Amino acid sequence: MWRNYNSCAKYYGISKFCSQKLFSTIPNVLLARQDSISKFKIKGSPKKLTFAIPNFISVNKLANLLNCKINDLVKDLKKLGFDKVNNDYILSREYIELILQEYNYEFPRSIKDNLHTEEITSRNVYNEVKKIKPDHLKPRPPVVTIMGHIDHGKTTIIDYLRKSSIVQKESGGITQHIGAFQIETPKTKKLITFLDTPGHAAFLKMRERGANITDIIILVVSLEDSIMPQTLEAIKHIKASGNELIVAITKIDKITNPREREKLLEKIDNGLISHDIATEKIGGDIQVIPISAKTGENMDLLEESIISLSEIMDIKSENAPKSQTTGWVLESQVKKMVGNVATILIKNGTLSKGKVLLCGNTYCKVKNIFNEFGKQVSKATPSQAVLVLGWKEVPDAGEEIIEVKDEATAKRYISKRQNILEFEKNLLNVDKINEQNYAVNKLKKQKLLNSEKKDEDIIDISEKPTGPKDINFIIKADVSGSSEAVRDAISDIGNDEVKCNIISSSVGLPNDSDLKMAEVTNSKILCFNVGNLPNEILNNSKKIDIREYTVIYKLIEDVTEIITDELEPIYENKQLATIDLRQIFSYQLKKKNIRIAGCKITNGKVSRNSLIQIKRGEDEEVVYDGTISSLKQGKEDVSEIGKGKECGITFTNFEDYKVGDKIVVYEKERIKRYL
Ligand SMILES: Nc1nc2c(ncn2[C@@H]2O[C@H](COP(=O)(O)OP(=O)(O)OP(=O)(O)O)[C@@H](O)[C@H]2O)c(=O)[nH]1
């Protein structure tokens, strides 16, 4: 499936990320594509684009832009697999581009490259990641992760290695937990970086991104227990990751009998082979090293094996004076008195004070660097994990960091990334709105069909849009804290009939794209503390309802009222007058027999066109519910008549009344509803 998405995306020149979104909602696009190419691609010389491609547009308006008939565009869209399309259907940028390609429009490169990114990571948004220069590559220490079944000895190995690293550095025995540490091998005096929390969120995120920050995985298997379920899981992961592997068989000190030890080692080796691990025993290159992290037996051998494997792997990274620093955030937090801190594993280049690092939605002008012993250092080199201070906001664990020229560049790319994220969020809302429009349209059509058949009872209830009706809002606020506060305050307003739906929330005055979004999504824009709105925004030509607030409870009150007003109205009949039907007169008019009810007003006032109900018998069964069509006093037509007066009345489309019927005049009163 994924491969199909990609090939289709490639055909249309759209990104993997966007195409994935595209086809997640309209899978038929994919299915219909192959047929549609020959069926519908418009031939002839390519046309020049004379308009900017909007991020969102309704089919209706796109037809205007393309100067074609709506019905033709709808037909073509259906050929492309948009099976739920109608005039109000909102198309997002990817779809618009797709259609423009089918309509043979030429794309300038800048447009194609505009918003499309594979995934919204710093690397994909920031397009100035420098290419690695092979001449500047230098060996770097291997980065190693330890995996294995529960209780097989991962932590004990880490503890052993940590202690040895502390002894080497003579630092007084206290290390900081920063997610990684380095040791120096006893014989070759080479460095190895160990990541000490391989299961944490950062790793999962990095793995999702396909980032291999680890070079080598040590698979730990206990000599006593042999291969266990989590060992197999780890093997599966190692194979998928493509990492190099060394197997460490732990707890060998527990089996002192050499023959028994040999037997158990053999069992594990065979188990590994049966799971396609090519160990040295069968001529493969995966080393299996029996160790004891308790006694330290063979631990030096394990460390030297890692070094020799890393030399074979030729692990290198660029580290010239001008090399761009890149790396990964292993952990991050807000520390009391210090502020935002993050542990970074350096991948490339040398990190030093003053450098500016871009990371997701934040950046850092490096203020201070600390190593794993809490010692301030002036620089950090590839494969080293260090604590970095100076972050504007706490970066997310698992995010990549990229060095940029200066703070202005970082801010520019952060805002670009935020725009893309906002666009992605809007895309999801547009999907929801399209689904809702489709359901509502279907219901309307069904109702129309049924009313033509004059059979009100057969409305297909199953076609009713499911879930509450969304009332859309766009929030604009002075700072991100307030936009979040407004979002939190109103997002739950509503009930199972109508509810508040926030299309987007962001900082600043409403801009053109907010107005466009409000137009296509039929949203109201709520501005909180944004200052004075320019007149052209407030009285915008699109007539978007923009409201300003400086007090949050006022905003909440207003939104509650807007949503309450959208509740289906409920009416109650309010009695205005009562009439006795005392006599029936009939006469012939142009061969037609006309009946007139001779009545006396017993209470209130009656007007022509009043709503009335005719009630019969003791049970007061309603035999007619409609309107008065004529009201006469003697032979005169009158518009209103009061209590005690006699009159002649006819009713709209009803003559089947009897002497003794009671007539009630009423009006429909809208009952105030509450959420
Ligand atoms: N005798 C001996 N005991 C060991 C050795 N390695 C680990 N142990 C013991 O085995 C138990 C589990 O070891 P851990 O290092 O906590 O195992 P782990 O794989 O980190 O366990 P989890 O973190 O729960 O997955 C502890 O009681 C250790 O002291 C070893 O080489 N020899």
Side-chain angles (χ1 to χ4, degrees):
M1 198 64 174
W2 173 240
R3 206 170 291 142
N4 285 343
Y5 286 148
N6 280 348
S7 54
C8 187
K10 220 168 164 188
Y11 167 73
Y12 284 118
I14 57 179
S15 73
K16 197 195 307 177
F17 163 70
C18 289
S19 61
Q20 205 179 351
K21 280 255 144 64
L22 188 74
F23 301 123
S24 65
T25 48
I26 305 192
N28 285 349
V29 172
L30 185 67
L31 302 173
R33 183 190 71 81
Q34 282 161 342
D35 296 347
S36 66
I37 302 164
S38 52
K39 259 189 212 162
F40 138 57
K41 185 150 184 154
I42 291 171
K43 296 192 177 75
S45 51
K47 288 178 250 177
K48 284 231 161 352
L49 262 192
T50 52
F51 51 87
I53 303 178
N55 285 340
F56 299 96
I57 198 167
S58 67
V59 170
N60 203 337
K61 289 192 175 147
L62 184 63
N64 273 343
L65 272 184
L66 300 179
N67 205 9
C68 67
K69 286 185 185 151
I70 299 178
N71 286 352
D72 291 346
L73 180 59
V74 169
K75 260 188 226 157
D76 287 341
L77 283 166
K78 284 194 171 156
K79 276 186 208 160
L80 273 174
F82 292 82
D83 49 359
K84 292 180 176 173
V85 78
N86 56 33
N87 297 6
D88 302 325
Y89 191 92
I90 300 165
L91 295 156
S92 56
R93 195 185 172 94
E94 294 71 30
Y95 299 119
I96 304 167
E97 290 188 359
L98 190 150
I99 295 150
L100 292 176
Q101 288 199 18
E102 292 298 335
Y103 274 62
N104 219 355
Y105 276 88
E106 256 180 1
F107 281 77
R109 246 188 83 75
S110 59
I111 289 178
K112 263 195 170 180
D113 292 346
N114 196 356
L115 274 172
H116 294 155
T117 61
E118 298 244 324
E119 202 200 334
I120 307 161
T121 60
S122 305
R123 179 170 288 263
N124 287 332
V125 178
Y126 183 66
N127 48 20
E128 288 169 40
V129 179
K130 291 179 191 156
K131 283 216 172 89
I132 298 285
K133 293 191 184 84
D135 295 355
H136 293 165
L137 288 175
K138 289 188 185 150
R140 63 163 174 83
V143 177
V144 180
T145 303
I146 302 176
M147 297 180 91
H149 190 77
I150 189 164
D151 274 354
H152 275 198
K154 299 179 288 292
T155 314
T156 312
I157 295 178
I158 297 267
D159 287 349
Y160 179 92
L161 294 166
R162 245 184 204 289
K163 264 184 224 136
S164 71
S165 81
I166 294 160
V167 175
Q168 285 160 13
K169 303 266 172 176
E170 293 169 352
S171 73
I174 301 163
T175 56
Q176 304 232 97
H177 179 90
I178 61 168
F181 62 95
Q182 274 190 331
I183 62 146
E184 195 181 72
T185 54
K187 283 187 203 137
T188 46
K189 306 288 175 208
K190 297 264 172 71
L191 291 172
I192 304 173
T193 301
F194 283 94
L195 301 184
D196 64 5
T197 43
H200 72 38
F203 286 81
L204 294 177
K205 204 161 167 189
M206 287 183 268
R207 219 179 290 155
E208 273 169 21
R209 301 236 164 98
N212 247 338
I213 58 162
T214 302
D215 302 303
I216 297 168
I217 294 177
I218 308 287
L219 176 66
V220 174
V221 186
S222 149
L223 183 66
E224 286 176 314
D225 299 346
S226 195
I227 292 170
M228 299 292 277
Q230 282 177 344
T231 321
L232 297 179
E233 237 173 71
I235 291 175
K236 227 161 83 187
H237 164 75
I238 294 160
K239 282 183 185 164
S241 71
N243 283 123
E244 291 296 331
L245 169 68
I246 293 175
V247 180
I249 299 179
T250 53
K251 307 190 188 182
I252 55 166
D253 59 298
K254 283 194 154 183
I255 313 292
T256 44
N257 181 328
R259 282 184 65 188
E260 196 187 340
R261 196 190 259 198
E262 207 49 48
K263 233 169 90 189
L264 289 170
L265 285 172
E266 175 100 9
K267 183 182 165 199
I268 295 174
D269 220 1
N270 291 340
L272 292 168
I273 293 162
S274 72
H275 287 97
D276 296 330
I277 304 285
T279 63
E280 286 174 326
K281 186 184 164 191
I282 56 159
D285 48 17
I286 295 173
Q287 305 173 73
V288 179
I289 301 160
I291 58 157
S292 166
K294 265 267 157 73
T295 64
E297 190 181 348
N298 283 349
M299 283 302 283
D300 53 346
L301 188 61
L302 177 67
E303 293 167 32
E304 295 302 340
S305 301
I306 294 169
I307 292 301
S308 53
L309 177 58
S310 73
E311 281 166 0
I312 296 167
M313 288 164 71
D314 199 20
I315 295 174
K316 283 179 173 167
S317 69
E318 194 186 308
N319 194 12
K322 285 196 174 162
S323 296
Q324 186 178 30
T325 307
T326 62
W328 296 97
V329 177
L330 294 180
E331 288 176 355
S332 60
Q333 58 175 307
V334 185
K335 270 197 172 177
K336 261 194 191 156
M337 319 286 286
V338 181
N340 304 328
V341 299
T343 308
I344 288 170
L345 178 70
I346 311 288
K347 191 171 129 202
N348 213 62
T350 296
L351 180 70
S352 55
K353 277 193 208 173
K355 281 196 173 183
V356 179
L357 307 174
L358 175 68
C359 180
N361 278 343
T362 185
Y363 73 94
C364 166
K365 182 157 187 191
V366 179
K367 214 160 103 188
N368 268 318
I369 309 171
F370 293 91
N371 68 10
E372 71 222 59
F373 303 105
K375 199 174 152 214
Q376 197 171 328
V377 289
S378 59
K379 59 187 176 101
T381 50
S383 297
Q384 211 182 333
V386 282
L387 198 75
V388 176
L389 273 62
W391 293 93
K392 296 291 159 203
E393 315 247 349
V394 183
D396 284 342
E399 284 281 351
E400 189 177 12
I401 58 142
I402 298 165
E403 180 192 342
V404 296
K405 206 167 75 202
D406 49 27
E407 290 187 73
T409 313
K411 284 181 191 162
R412 205 170 59 244
Y413 278 94
I414 288 166
S415 112
K416 188 175 170 192
R417 185 176 191 261
Q418 276 168 338
N419 281 343
I420 298 172
L421 288 168
E422 187 72 9
F423 175 79
E424 187 204 3
K425 215 160 61 192
N426 288 340
L427 212 61
L428 293 176
N429 279 315
V430 163
D431 281 349
K432 245 167 81 181
I433 291 163
N434 278 337
E435 283 294 327
Q436 212 173 40
N437 275 348
Y438 175 72
V440 169
N441 271 334
K442 214 169 169 184
L443 184 67
K444 274 189 199 158
K445 271 189 200 160
Q446 184 73 48
K447 268 188 173 165
L448 197 72
L449 206 72
N450 290 336
S451 69
E452 276 166 10
K453 287 184 195 160
K454 294 206 176 355
D455 185 356
E456 287 291 330
D457 294 336
I458 59 162
I459 290 176
D460 185 357
I461 303 294
S462 65
E463 295 300 345
K464 270 191 181 160
T466 49
K469 175 181 167 191
D470 281 335
I471 309 300
N472 297 334
F473 295 96
I474 290 174
I475 301 168
K476 300 294 297 188
D478 51 344
V479 289
S480 63
S482 356
S483 85
E484 281 307 307
V486 173
R487 178 184 272 274
D488 288 349
I490 65 169
S491 57
D492 288 336
I493 298 179
N495 59 14
D496 49 10
E497 202 181 306
V498 214
K499 72 170 179 42
C500 169
N501 180 38
I502 297 159
I503 295 287
S504 69
S505 60
S506 56
V507 170
L509 288 167
N511 52 29
D512 275 354
S513 98
D514 295 319
L515 292 181
K516 275 184 200 146
M517 196 60 206
E519 189 190 13
V520 287
T521 57
N522 190 21
S523 302
K524 294 183 184 359
I525 302 182
L526 308 173
C527 300
F528 184 73
N529 267 344
V530 292
N532 289 340
L533 287 178
N535 206 26
E536 68 269 21
I537 296 280
L538 205 53
N539 300 311
N540 60 87
S541 58
K542 296 179 169 66
K543 307 241 177 307
I544 307 293
D545 185 350
I546 303 180
R547 304 180 182 211
E548 297 172 86
Y549 306 90
T550 49
V551 186
I552 194 133
Y553 80 81
K554 187 78 199 99
L555 184 148
I556 298 169
E557 240 175 51
D558 228 14
V559 170
T560 310
E561 199 177 316
I562 294 168
I563 295 193
T564 310
D565 285 347
E566 293 291 333
L567 290 167
E568 271 298 310
I570 294 178
Y571 294 98
E572 212 173 60
N573 292 354
K574 186 179 163 197
Q575 187 172 308
L576 300 176
T578 49
I579 307 168
D580 280 352
L581 204 161
R582 297 192 165 175
Q583 224 176 332
I584 295 171
F585 306 98
S586 44
Y587 61 96
Q588 287 279 320
L589 184 73
K590 290 181 188 166
K591 292 188 182 159
K592 212 177 155 203
N593 191 32
I594 304 284
R595 295 182 95 211
I596 295 177
C599 303
K600 182 168 182 180
I601 317 295
T602 48
N603 223 331
K605 267 187 204 160
V606 182
S607 335
R608 211 163 49 206
N609 301 328
S610 288
L611 290 172
I612 57 120
Q613 281 184 339
I614 301 179
K615 297 180 176 179
R616 187 166 297 160
E618 273 183 16
D619 299 341
E620 302 207 321
E621 183 199 355
V622 178
V623 292
Y624 174 70
D625 194 341
T627 49
I628 289 177
S629 68
S630 75
L631 186 63
K632 283 182 189 288
Q633 226 175 352
K635 287 190 176 171
E636 294 295 307
D637 276 320
V638 286
S639 57
E640 195 181 84
I641 193 162
K643 186 179 172 184
K645 297 276 178 352
E646 291 188 334
C647 58
I649 303 177
T650 60
F651 308 98
T652 314
N653 298 326
F654 186 74
E655 286 194 339
D656 192 18
Y657 42 80
K658 291 182 179 163
V659 172
D661 284 348
K662 288 253 175 300
I663 302 168
V664 175
V665 180
Y666 70 93
E667 68 177 5
K668 281 190 185 295
E669 193 177 56
R670 189 172 174 160
I671 305 296
K672 174 111 184 108
R673 291 195 64 193
Y674 299 92
L675 288 172

